[in-house]
Amino acid sequence: MSANAHAADLDALLAGLNEPQREAVVHGDGPLLILAGAGSGKTRVLTHRIAYLVGTGQARPDEILAITFTNKAAQEMRERVELLVGRRTRAMWVMTFHAACARILRADAHRLGYTRQFTIYDQADARRLVKRAIDELDVDPKRFTPGAIHHEISDAKNKLRDAEAYAQMVGSFFEQTVADVYKLYEAELHRMNAMDFDDLLVRTVNVLELFPEVRRRYAEAFRHVLVDEYQDTNHVQYRLLQLLTGGGADGRLADYGHRNLVVVGDDSQSIYGFRGADIRNILDFEDSYPDATVVKLEQNYRSTQTVLDAANAVIRNNRGQREKELWTDLGVGDPIKVRELDDEHAEARYVAGEIERLVDEGVSRSEIAVFYRTNAQSRVLEDTLVRAQIGYQVIGGTKFYERAEIKDAIAYLTMLVNPQDVVSFTRIANSPRRGIGQTSLSRVISWANTAGITIWDAALDPDSVPGLGTAARKAFHRFMGAMRILGERAAANPPVGELLREVLAESGYLEALEAERTIEAQGRIENLEELVNVAAEYDLSAENSDEGPSLAGFLQQIALVADADGRRDDEGLVTLMTLHNAKGLEYPIVFMIGLEEGVFPHQRAIEEGGLEEERRLAYVGITRAQRDLYLTYARARAVFGARSYAARSRFVDEVPMGLTDRSEQPAHGVGSVRARATTWGSPSPNLSPLGSGPIPGGGWDASGGSAGGGTELRLGDDVFHAAFGDGVVTGVEAGGIVVIRFSRDGSERKLVADLAPIEKR
DNA sequence: CAGATCATCGTTTTT
DNA sequence: CGATGATCTG
């Protein structure tokens, strides 16, 4: 390629970028934080920067490590980089945190006592193992659920606290219990040559910290590290990035350190705190990297100004956010439609009716998305859409790889490479039913433990297992006979697709399903066929990779993939999903439903001080809308079978009236914040047969505004309370009620403005 | 050991 | 209300 062509390429890379985008792309060495608002073109910036680094010769392709959180994002980034630099992309590491760690560990985990065939346990496997530890320790499972304990362990791991460190700082009975379980759980995992998702990160950090030569190798290999969705990183990931960019075990910069770390994120879209993400990583980036360059991307290329104003207004109610104001030159757009409905059925009918109207106007169903807070909310909506014959797809829910039959098949394959994997063994021993019950299984497992042999070897020789009945012994002989044949086959390294076929046949799994003769079983068989296809595809694609196809490689790959059935864009289907699943997506028309206190924000978030994260979730939802945004809520809703009533979500009220089709409040502080018939703007008479009929009847609303006089508190006001101290107004509700969050303990309280001992500061 | 009935308990979940 | 798990009985 000539020098001219190069220059032309570089020009093309920068063309069409706005000023801050360009600054981020051409940034030289050293840490860079890109604060990228929703829809501000961050992927464009990342991909163009990678291309620019390669194009200018600042980096070779194999010196680039680009990290994302999802496989989908990684794939998209890889594709887009490939469009810019072509085949050279292949040498780059463009993958998820977990995939990158798994790759490092396959090469170096032996230093920690694992084989390269280690098993990766997903959440469910991990929880099962936690449960076994709980049973083992005779912990009362009533008081402490496996889920809660696992969550706590996961939390500790995310903070790089190992079992020992955790035990050092227990302060309650619960924590003592967790400490005990944690210790046993870790021992078991290691003994089984297995890692959970958290381990992939933690063990990588361990390897890098313990072995300077490994640390140096990777830090020298990756001269440029780029991270997407940085606001969702946790502490392990923070540490990992430090080590990969040349931080030493002591935290100081090594001589080979380069600190070429580019992170992209938006603190306003941090919605995974409940999973250990630490928003401080992005908020305090400059504390960790004082010489960091910071670039803000605030121009939005996705939404109307009305939508952006709404998002800006809502997020402004959070404290401690990075200052940021989204803007666009796409125009003002239409007002946000706010609708109050009688109950969730009326809400669903309204959404369905509106969709029909839009489709009549020429909108494609695939341009429409409906977001809700919890999965349970999709049910009513689905019923209604089915009746209205509106095609839809639900994103999320049970994932392909979480289906029982798929996990069973994978467990069979896993046993063939990791004979120590008791969790997988437990899963398949009696699936299909072959007369191996809980008791016999436990006997074999504990025999393996006492004899110090693998579970595979213990089962292979059931006659040596003490206390095992004749029938059980026979069952194990038959089962392991099949496994042995499969093991020999696997040793010959056949195509994974073929091996899987044999597993399904030899194990009797397929036969058992066929014998069921139910529609459900038929569906499972089809899923298994799909898995065989996935394996065959792997065989093909791994053919020309550096390692070549292998069973272990296949297992590792699919362990890190969430679902095989991704969403389809061009099918003319309305898309339904939780707000969490909506991040990173965009739709011309967006419905956010169930905007009620207790639903969204979720009750538990209200109780446990998680309001800011809920608000960020609202921000994410709003900023998905390109053109039209609907906010709906129901006066009543069935919760756990019982009918319950809730106030409209504070998030609705945080959207300025003027941006919505509600009319202005009659007078400041007088009358109701709550809607009444007259407050609904633009009458929409064009409701379809499925519509809810004329929108809300008035009259039910009895609340009055703050009863005149008194202190006028507004959102964001700093206040002082005689008993609770300093706080900030985070909500203003009907009836003169204000929501105040107190800085002393972070608690959020609802107070009557006129009665509570509050003064404005 | 397996199916069946009973009881419990309800977020979100990139990997 | 409905899904999921624990305990009971054949």
Side-chain angles (χ1 to χ4, degrees):
Chain A
M1 205 182 277
S2 76
N4 272 347
H6 255 125
D9 280 355
L10 292 178
D11 279 350
L13 277 177
L14 299 178
L17 297 179
N18 65 35
E19 194 41 47
Q21 286 178 335
R22 180 185 307 235
E23 191 188 338
V25 168
V26 304
H27 169 81
D29 285 347
L32 168 67
L33 165 64
I34 305 171
L35 284 169
S40 62
K42 66 173 172 127
T43 308
R44 194 174 155 85
V45 168
L46 271 179
T47 54
H48 283 240
R49 175 167 173 81
I50 293 171
Y52 191 83
L53 287 171
V54 174
T56 54
Q58 290 177 79
R60 292 197 317 261
D62 64 352
E63 290 176 324
I64 287 174
L65 170 63
I67 307 184
T68 62
F69 274 85
T70 69
N71 293 297
K72 188 171 158 256
Q75 200 184 324
E76 189 193 338
M77 193 179 307
R78 180 174 284 282
E79 282 164 9
R80 287 176 63 172
V81 172
E82 190 153 9
L83 287 178
L84 299 173
V85 307
R87 250 194 323 281
R88 286 177 287 178
T89 314
R90 289 192 188 176
M92 300 178 188
W93 281 37
V94 183
M95 55 185 84
T96 64
F97 269 106
H98 295 263
C101 287
R103 196 156 159 184
I104 291 173
L105 288 171
R106 277 199 82 184
D108 291 293
H110 63 90
R111 296 166 190 266
L112 299 175
Y114 298 86
T115 76
R116 44 186 293 126
Q117 341 268 9
F118 64 86
T119 305
I120 299 170
Y121 284 167
D122 69 10
Q123 222 75 18
D125 296 329
R127 193 160 306 166
R128 214 164 288 137
L129 193 56
V130 167
K131 192 180 174 306
R132 278 166 44 106
I134 288 175
D135 291 344
E136 184 91 8
L137 294 169
D138 273 327
V139 173
D140 178 12
K142 289 263 161 52
R143 188 83 215 115
F144 307 128
T145 66
I149 292 183
H150 179 236
H151 187 270
E152 179 78 6
I153 291 174
S154 173
D155 208 54
K157 287 190 179 186
N158 286 160
K159 292 178 175 136
L160 280 174
R161 242 173 238 153
D162 61 19
E164 205 180 324
Y166 187 90
Q168 298 284 306
M169 48 180 303
V170 294
S172 66
F173 180 61
F174 173 69
E175 287 172 355
Q176 184 54 56
T177 308
V178 172
D180 297 340
V181 175
Y182 191 1
K183 192 174 169 208
L184 182 57
Y185 171 72
E186 289 290 82
E188 289 287 283
L189 270 178
H190 197 263
R191 203 157 57 85
M192 294 181 194
N193 191 28
M195 300 194 200
D196 61 19
F197 281 142
D198 302 317
D199 279 341
L200 290 174
L201 306 168
V202 174
R203 303 275 94 109
T204 304
V205 166
N206 292 159
V207 167
L208 294 176
E209 284 184 340
L210 289 170
F211 303 96
E213 69 275 23
V214 179
R215 183 162 73 237
R216 170 186 283 267
R217 174 149 51 89
Y218 285 106
E220 284 181 345
F222 301 125
R223 299 301 297 179
H224 289 272
V225 179
L226 302 93
V227 186
D228 194 12
E229 305 280 15
Y230 189 68
Q231 76 282 353
D232 290 331
T233 51
N234 58 32
H235 185 253
V236 200
Q237 287 158 337
Y238 167 85
R239 179 73 183 130
L240 180 66
L241 294 172
Q242 244 181 3
L243 291 162
L244 287 177
T245 53
D250 56 0
R252 307 182 54 156
L253 192 67
D255 57 336
Y256 52 80
H258 52 74
R259 297 167 77 253
N260 290 331
L261 175 64
V262 176
V263 303
V264 188
D266 180 359
D267 50 306
S268 301
Q269 294 187 64
S270 165
I271 54 174
Y272 285 104
F274 69 95
R275 275 188 49 165
D278 190 346
I279 194 173
R280 286 175 305 181
N281 285 349
I282 192 165
L283 291 179
D284 303 339
F285 188 77
E286 295 102 309
D287 292 343
S288 313
Y289 299 90
D291 56 330
T293 305
V294 180
V295 173
K296 273 188 204 178
L297 306 180
E298 295 171 295
Q299 181 174 2
N300 172 291
Y301 295 95
R302 173 190 295 155
S303 311
T304 66
Q305 190 64 51
T306 299
V307 167
L308 298 182
D309 285 345
N312 285 331
V314 168
I315 204 67
R316 209 172 291 134
N317 294 290
N318 274 3
R319 314 198 99 196
Q321 301 273 307
R322 290 274 190 162
E323 207 174 298
K324 206 171 340 93
E325 187 88 7
L326 294 176
W327 64 275
T328 182
D329 56 17
L330 294 179
V332 176
D334 287 340
I336 292 161
K337 293 159 199 71
V338 179
R339 291 292 179 271
E340 175 181 88
L341 289 310
D342 286 338
D343 57 23
E344 72 271 30
H345 299 283
E347 184 181 49
R349 284 196 302 273
Y350 171 71
V351 171
E354 230 13 51
I355 290 173
E356 288 188 324
R357 189 180 66 75
L358 289 161
V359 170
D360 282 348
E361 280 179 7
V363 174
S364 164
R365 277 186 285 270
S366 61
E367 295 177 301
I368 304 173
V370 186
F371 303 150
Y372 35 80
R373 179 62 177 81
T374 65
N375 285 120
Q377 289 172 262
S378 77
R379 267 191 86 109
V380 174
L381 197 58
E382 289 187 64
D383 287 350
T384 310
L385 292 177
V386 167
R387 252 179 291 157
Q389 298 187 301
I390 296 172
Y392 68 89
Q393 58 175 337
V394 182
I395 306 301
T398 320
K399 312 230 166 66
F400 183 72
Y401 288 109
E402 285 169 12
R403 292 167 205 269
E405 64 276 18
I406 301 300
K407 293 213 70 177
D408 287 346
I410 291 171
Y412 271 101
L413 294 176
T414 303
M415 275 312 290
L416 300 179
V417 294
N418 185 5
Q420 309 174 63
D421 188 339
V422 179
V423 171
S424 292
F425 186 85
T426 306
R427 183 160 193 112
I428 60 174
N430 202 34
S431 181
R433 315 244 114 101
R434 47 172 76 91
I436 298 177
Q438 194 53 59
T439 348
S440 316
L441 193 56
S442 301
R443 288 213 171 99
V444 175
I445 291 173
S446 56
W447 168 242
N449 288 347
T450 13
I453 55 179
T454 66
I455 185 69
W456 175 285
D457 287 336
L460 214 48
D461 179 22
D463 299 333
S464 309
V465 178
L468 211 56
T470 342
R473 285 215 298 266
K474 234 173 125 187
F476 272 105
H477 272 303
R478 274 194 54 200
F479 170 44
M480 290 309 290
M483 290 305 285
R484 205 141 105 185
I485 294 171
L486 291 169
E488 281 161 16
R489 274 295 285 145
N493 206 23
V496 182
E498 273 176 38
L499 181 64
L500 177 55
R501 264 181 212 291
E502 287 172 41
V503 163
L504 294 174
E506 194 69 37
S507 65
Y509 200 94
L510 216 48
E511 203 182 351
L513 279 178
E514 277 160 359
E516 271 190 49
R517 300 223 159 274
T518 61
I519 304 166
E520 203 187 31
Q522 190 52 45
R524 291 175 182 219
I525 292 172
E526 281 163 20
N527 287 335
L528 289 169
E529 279 165 3
E530 178 58 27
L531 185 65
V532 173
N533 289 338
V534 173
E537 267 171 43
Y538 164 81
D539 287 321
L540 270 182
S541 72
E543 202 60 57
N544 38 20
S545 77
D546 13 311
E547 273 191 64
S550 72
L551 181 52
F554 172 70
L555 290 170
Q556 204 151 96
Q557 180 174 309
I558 61 173
L560 300 175
V561 171
D563 51 351
D565 37 11
R567 62 193 131 255
R568 299 155 293 183
D569 291 335
D570 48 5
E571 299 254 349
L573 299 174
V574 173
T575 304
L576 276 45
M577 67 180 98
T578 61
L579 284 153
H580 280 90
N581 275 315
K583 197 171 71 162
L585 305 176
E586 58 184 21
Y587 292 88
I589 322 269
V590 164
F591 291 85
M592 287 171 67
I593 68 171
L595 282 146
E596 297 134 45
E597 288 289 303
V599 177
F600 184 39
H602 193 275
Q603 189 58 39
R604 236 167 112 168
I606 297 174
E607 284 161 9
E608 292 169 17
L611 269 169
E612 299 217 335
E613 185 152 309
E614 295 285 294
R615 190 171 282 112
R616 293 193 289 267
L617 198 51
Y619 178 85
V620 166
I622 292 170
T623 52
R624 299 309 96 194
Q626 293 172 293
R627 208 171 69 226
D628 292 327
L629 176 62
Y630 290 80
L631 306 177
T632 70
Y633 57 97
R635 293 203 294 257
R637 169 178 305 271
V639 182
F640 306 144
R643 201 171 173 74
S644 79
Y645 301 85
R648 169 178 62 219
S649 170
R650 68 194 71 194
F651 302 145
V652 174
D653 292 318
E654 288 170 8
V655 175
M657 278 276 186
L659 300 175
T660 71
D661 61 358
R662 301 193 284 168
S663 62
E664 292 296 332
Q665 263 175 274
H668 183 78
V670 184
S672 168
V673 201
R674 196 177 275 291
R676 42 182 74 202
T678 53
T679 62
W680 297 103
S682 60
S684 33
N686 44 4
L687 284 166
S688 76
L690 268 170
S692 62
I695 310 279
W700 75 281
D701 168 23
S703 59
S706 68
T711 355
E712 283 196 353
L713 291 174
R714 295 164 153 258
L715 283 179
D717 281 347
D718 286 312
V719 295
F720 179 78
H721 186 283
F724 303 128
D726 286 321
V728 62
V729 177
T730 56
V732 179
E733 297 186 10
I737 290 174
V738 291
V739 188
I740 297 176
R741 192 158 46 91
F742 293 98
S743 47
R744 184 179 299 171
D745 56 359
S747 71
E748 184 125 19
R749 295 167 195 275
K750 289 189 180 185
L751 304 165
V752 179
D754 286 338
L755 302 177
I758 319 169
E759 57 181 89
K760 198 165 153 180
R761 306 217 103 176

